[in-house]
Amino acid sequence: MVAQAGPALPARAVASMVAGMESVIFGAQGQLGHALAGKLPGARRVVRGACDVTVRAEIDAALPSDGARLVFNATAYNQVDAAEREPDLAFAVNAFAAGQLAAAARRIGAKLVHYSTDYVFGNGHTTPIDETIPPDPLSVYGRSKAHGERLALQNNVETLVVRTTGLYSHRRSNFVKTMIKLGASGRRLTVVSDQFVSPTWVDSVAATSIELAGSDVFGVYHVTAQGGCSWYEFAARIFEILKIRADLHAVDHESWGAAARRPGYSVLDDAMLRASGVARVGRWDDELERFLAAHGQTLIDEATAL
């Protein structure tokens, strides 16, 4: 699952080395892609509309003619419930495009960094899930992402699959922004209390995966904040930190009635990351405090201005 040669370089040296490499970021408009681009200012940014990643010719045209060392695939169809109605689209973007990007990276001699999700796992887990556990997805979205992992790894031996979970940032649509908007509105708010994840700030995923990309490692790695919580606990902690008096109530997943099935427990264990020597992401609640210290008031102002 992992290949490593020689002693590990210091994190700062690895980050500097990656920053100096020719890199391409597909999906640079998304929250993860934007975070990657911020840490790799010299990278070529490929955004939605400029390239259809389901078309091989468009992928090839988006890559530099003189090659690249690293290709980051931050594209995704991540509408979990909508995927149940649009399986063909979910598989086209999450699975087949991943395979094509891996093959394209191989043709120019580049390493692929492909992002995946905790939703490749199913039910039956009660302790953090490490990289040796085989996927067993419950939903179309989960199946499409699991298939994308396989195709990426099969089409380029120099592929790094980074699984993460519960991503949030100050951009785009995500759980933290939604909770702040709804909590500040004063409306009754119900959040699922029997599904557990590891909420993770995209900046930490970007920084850690860039450092991994600069190391001589391949295969599947979990990059998430340490520890876990229910979505309800996540929401409650957001409101506690920001001192928002939200009308928050817990609900079980069956009462919530989402179209797609989700794992009851998908907290990820970063065993491979620990073995690599690359610094781990901090605890989920500490990461959330750092994020809200930097962006919380701006998000409140945005929510209340609407």
Side-chain angles (χ1 to χ4, degrees):
M1 184 175 290
V2 59
Q4 186 163 356
L9 291 171
R12 195 169 296 178
V14 171
S16 176
M17 180 177 68
V18 174
M21 291 181 179
E22 180 69 30
S23 302
V24 183
I25 303 168
F26 286 85
Q29 79 289 341
Q31 60 177 350
L32 178 54
H34 183 267
L36 288 166
K39 298 179 187 304
L40 297 171
R44 174 176 292 200
R45 307 179 187 190
V46 183
V47 299
R48 185 187 301 120
C51 174
D52 183 346
V53 293
T54 67
V55 179
R56 172 177 170 173
E58 294 199 22
I59 292 173
D60 289 338
L63 293 171
S65 58
D66 56 349
R69 296 284 300 282
L70 293 170
V71 175
F72 293 86
N73 178 25
T75 66
Y77 178 102
N78 55 14
Q79 301 300 310
V80 178
D81 292 318
E84 299 297 311
R85 303 187 302 272
E86 300 178 318
D88 290 347
L89 181 57
F91 270 82
V93 176
N94 292 341
F96 306 127
Q100 292 194 123
L101 281 162
R106 185 192 69 239
R107 287 194 292 273
I108 63 171
K111 181 177 188 174
L112 177 72
V113 183
H114 172 69
Y115 294 92
S116 191
T117 172
D118 59 314
Y119 281 17
V120 300
F121 295 108
N123 285 324
H125 301 285
T126 56
T127 57
I129 307 165
D130 68 30
E131 295 89 345
T132 65
I133 305 299
D136 184 24
L138 301 172
S139 64
V140 169
Y141 169 72
R143 290 194 293 274
S144 71
K145 293 297 288 184
H147 198 55
E149 290 182 4
R150 290 194 295 271
L151 289 177
L153 292 164
Q154 288 170 4
N155 280 282
N156 188 344
V157 295
E158 293 194 357
T159 288
L160 174 65
V161 172
V162 174
R163 289 190 189 129
T164 189
T165 170
L167 292 183
Y168 60 87
S169 75
H170 66 287
R171 298 182 72 257
R172 312 288 291 184
S173 175
N174 59 71
F175 186 82
V176 173
K177 291 187 69 176
T178 299
M179 289 301 103
I180 292 173
K181 179 180 178 180
L182 295 178
S185 73
R187 290 179 291 173
R188 178 182 172 86
L189 176 60
T190 57
V191 178
V192 172
S193 61
D194 58 353
Q195 292 174 340
F196 295 81
V197 296
S198 302
T200 307
W201 186 7
V202 293
D203 276 22
S204 297
V205 177
T208 303
S209 58
I210 287 170
E211 189 175 345
L212 277 171
S215 305
D216 189 19
V217 298
F218 314 103
V220 180
Y221 282 71
H222 292 171
V223 177
T224 68
Q226 297 176 49
C229 62
S230 70
W231 290 105
Y232 174 83
E233 291 169 328
F234 186 14
R237 186 62 182 138
I238 294 167
F239 299 140
E240 180 183 12
I241 293 170
L242 295 179
K243 297 180 171 55
I244 295 174
R245 298 183 65 180
D247 187 15
L248 177 64
H249 301 269
V251 65
D252 62 76
H253 73 279
E254 290 186 356
S255 299
W256 181 253
R261 294 177 64 201
R262 292 159 167 81
Y265 182 97
S266 56
V267 175
L268 300 182
D269 178 33
D270 58 357
M272 293 296 290
L273 185 64
R274 295 197 304 274
S276 75
V278 172
R280 305 171 72 192
V281 179
R283 278 194 52 83
W284 75 268
D285 44 355
D286 294 335
E287 290 276 297
L288 180 62
E289 286 196 38
R290 288 201 307 118
F291 169 76
L292 292 176
H295 301 288
Q297 189 57 55
T298 299
L299 295 179
I300 290 173
D301 292 343
E302 290 176 357
T304 54
L306 298 177

